[in-house]
Amino acid sequence: MAQRMMGWMRGVIRRARSDGGMTTSEYAVGTIAACALAAVLYKVVTSAPVVAALQSVITGALDAKA
């Protein structure tokens, strides 16, 4: 009976120490961080100075004399 109880306790402790749900939370935090980075990059790329620089680069490439 004592061995059976000890085996049950070991199983409970093993399950309590298990970090089976960690990967899901890590994916969630990584997804949120990626979305935040995408939002910042979108704001930077759509800002007036960057849009003007991109337009000048494209205009210069299209108007190039070969």
Side-chain angles (χ1 to χ4, degrees):
M1 177 74 172
Q3 284 183 340
R4 189 171 171 187
M5 187 66 153
M6 289 299 289
W8 180 80
M9 286 298 289
R10 282 191 201 112
V12 169
I13 291 171
R14 197 175 312 124
R15 282 189 296 271
R17 289 184 183 171
S18 173
D19 54 350
M22 292 296 291
T23 56
T24 303
S25 63
E26 289 169 355
Y27 282 124
V29 170
T31 301
I32 291 170
C35 290
L37 179 62
V40 169
L41 288 176
Y42 177 76
K43 281 294 200 182
V44 168
V45 170
T46 58
S47 66
V50 175
V51 169
L54 287 172
Q55 284 179 347
S56 69
V57 167
I58 292 171
T59 302
L62 293 176
D63 290 340
K65 307 265 191 249

